[in-house]
Amino acid sequence: MADVDQGSSPPSDGAPQALDPPNAIDTNGTDVVNATVAKFVATPEGTALAYGSLVFMALLPIFFGALRSVSCSKSKNSSDMPETITSRDAARFPIIASCTLFGLYLFFKIFSQEYINLLLSIYFFVLGILALSHTMSPFMNRFFPDNLAIKQYQLLFTQGSGESKEEIVNYEFDTKDLVCLAISSVVGVWYVLKKHWVANNLFGLAFALNGVELLHLNNVSTGCILLGGLFVYDVFWVFGTNVMVTVAKSFEAPIKLVFPQDLLERGLEASNFAMLGLGDVVIPGIFIALLLRFDVSLKKNTRTYFYTSFLAYIFGLGLTIFVMHMYKHAQPALLYLVPACVGFPVLVALVKGELTEMFRYEEASPELEASQKDETTEMDKKDK
């Protein structure tokens, strides 16, 4: 799981990493500090600015992604339809993540890091462009001139013919989406050529927002299984082995948010970064988004559980940073985020007498709803 890191390595050097103590240069989480390299010591102002900015950037995709998740399930566009996570998926996810992490570890040990990261750069270049374009699309409506003609396009792939025809891809887009794609492509080229931390953050925020928006937990129990499993996963791979930090040092991809602690001294060319992995944003974020949809289902015009879990996330992330500074030791962020994001809403539900209702709340996947609708239509035809 991706955590917070503090060190002097450039943003392209890390992926999921642990939260390291201040001014530690060796990002593998060890106690060794190379005194010849550790020329820069972060000032209190620089450290506060860096971590404050990371917290703010983490909150943006959670808040807006949760709001967009409420309406995205109603979309008929295949690109906007959410992917529903079931309890079986949640139980398998930590195992799959562990196998993937260890597989990457072996790859970096056996093959050249340069060629692996070249493939990863191409892969995330394409994904980043699509994610950023999808993120920008709703905001483009406010800035696109009204006097310009907007043309509609549709990308449709089907399988079979006649009554057995089945849609594989049904993607609708317009001129505004093409403009977003062009702007995103510029950011993508900037990231590939320069690996600049601003471009990294643009892609990272887009990945996080799309993840919170499009990954839907089907119920609260599934959320508890997923967060509980990744809680164990995060603690084990950070404290129990050096696998995660080894991959983190070798992995070049925009799967973390970064902010320089020496920004005040060096401006945009700063290189001493604090980092927050996207896993610590998306995983709690999809649970917070689920609670917002549960709030909407109650039809009480309140967002009690959403705001409770949102504030709990801020508390958990702040506690992670505080413990790291207190004990000067790497900390897996989910160790603090999971109990906070699950515990506080459950406690509120218990006090309000809505605990049973919370755990009974269920969301059906769009595919299941579509199949049920088709079955109902066929039965109506037979009855007639």
Side-chain angles (χ1 to χ4, degrees):
M1 208 34 43
D3 302 317
V4 182
D5 180 277
Q6 189 173 12
S8 63
S9 56
S12 62
D13 281 349
Q17 298 192 23
L19 194 153
D20 289 348
N23 307 319
I25 302 304
D26 189 2
T27 55
N28 63 3
T30 67
D31 296 328
V32 179
V33 176
N34 189 336
T36 62
V37 181
K39 297 178 180 179
F40 177 79
V41 177
T43 62
E45 294 81 6
T47 300
L49 176 62
Y51 279 112
S53 299
L54 285 179
V55 172
F56 178 72
M57 286 192 292
L59 296 179
L60 286 177
I62 292 178
F63 186 84
F64 290 105
L67 293 178
R68 289 171 60 161
S69 76
V70 175
S71 57
C72 77
S73 59
K74 302 175 184 178
S75 175
K76 295 182 179 180
N77 194 333
S78 61
S79 67
D80 295 330
M81 293 180 65
E83 182 73 25
T84 302
I85 301 174
T86 64
S87 58
R88 178 178 294 182
D89 298 328
R92 291 185 299 188
F93 190 84
I95 301 174
I96 296 173
S98 295
C99 294
T100 302
L101 180 66
F102 191 68
L104 285 172
Y105 174 79
L106 294 178
F107 266 98
F108 281 116
K109 288 292 184 180
I110 298 172
F111 300 104
S112 171
Q113 177 179 328
E114 179 183 355
Y115 295 114
I116 296 175
N117 282 321
L118 177 62
L119 293 175
L120 291 174
S121 294
I122 297 173
Y123 177 70
F124 281 99
F125 169 76
V126 176
L127 285 185
I129 289 175
L130 295 176
L132 187 58
S133 178
H134 183 266
T135 301
M136 293 172 55
S137 184
F139 300 103
M140 187 58 68
N141 295 325
R142 301 181 181 180
F143 303 102
F144 207 79
D146 296 330
N147 56 348
L148 291 181
I150 299 177
K151 297 182 179 180
Q152 300 291 330
Y153 304 93
Q154 184 178 23
L155 185 64
L156 180 64
F157 288 98
T158 61
Q159 180 179 355
S161 60
E163 296 182 355
S164 61
K165 181 182 291 186
E166 180 183 358
E167 287 187 2
I168 305 300
V169 176
N170 185 5
Y171 183 67
E172 298 176 358
F173 58 100
D174 54 28
T175 307
K176 292 178 292 185
D177 296 321
L178 294 178
V179 173
C180 292
L181 191 64
I183 297 174
S184 302
S185 298
V186 173
V187 176
V189 172
W190 181 26
Y191 173 77
V192 169
L193 295 180
K194 299 294 184 180
K195 293 293 193 297
H196 198 275
W197 61 273
V198 174
N200 175 90
N201 285 345
L202 290 175
F203 274 174
L205 288 170
F207 284 138
L209 190 144
N210 280 277
V212 175
E213 176 188 0
L214 299 175
L215 292 176
H216 285 198
L217 297 164
N218 64 346
N219 55 50
V220 174
S221 297
T222 299
C224 292
I225 294 171
L226 179 66
L227 268 66
L230 290 177
F231 172 91
V232 176
Y233 162 91
D234 208 19
V235 172
F236 172 77
W237 288 111
V238 171
F239 287 148
T241 72
N242 69 336
V243 171
M244 180 177 287
V245 291
T246 300
V247 172
K249 289 179 63 181
S250 308
F251 200 86
E252 293 185 6
I255 58 172
K256 71 275 180 187
L257 302 175
V258 301
F259 199 89
Q261 300 172 85
D262 52 345
L263 180 69
L264 300 177
E265 292 81 7
R266 301 178 182 175
L268 293 178
E269 299 303 318
S271 59
N272 192 302
F273 292 95
M275 306 181 188
L276 176 67
L278 295 189
D280 298 324
V281 179
V282 176
I283 298 304
I286 61 177
F287 187 75
I288 294 171
L290 171 67
L291 293 180
L292 174 59
R293 298 193 296 275
F294 171 64
D295 278 324
V296 172
S297 73
L298 294 176
K299 299 179 180 179
K300 295 182 179 180
N301 294 323
T302 61
R303 301 293 182 265
T304 303
Y305 297 103
F306 171 66
Y307 289 125
T308 299
S309 56
F310 192 73
L311 292 175
Y313 179 84
I314 298 175
F315 170 78
L317 194 55
L319 182 60
T320 309
I321 297 172
F322 173 76
V323 172
M324 182 270 296
H325 280 280
M326 282 290 294
Y327 293 97
K328 312 297 183 185
H329 193 279
Q331 300 294 322
L334 290 184
L335 177 64
Y336 307 95
L337 290 173
V338 169
C341 292
V342 175
F344 281 91
V346 168
L347 183 61
V348 170
L350 187 62
V351 172
K352 291 171 63 70
E354 296 176 340
L355 187 63
T356 302
E357 192 171 1
M358 173 188 282
F359 278 87
R360 284 180 177 175
Y361 174 69
E362 185 86 20
E363 288 185 357
S365 65
E367 294 83 359
L368 180 59
E369 290 180 348
S371 63
Q372 290 177 344
K373 185 177 180 180
D374 293 339
E375 290 178 0
T376 304
T377 304
E378 290 180 3
M379 291 178 63
D380 292 339
K381 290 181 179 179
K382 291 179 180 180
D383 292 339
K384 292 180 180 180

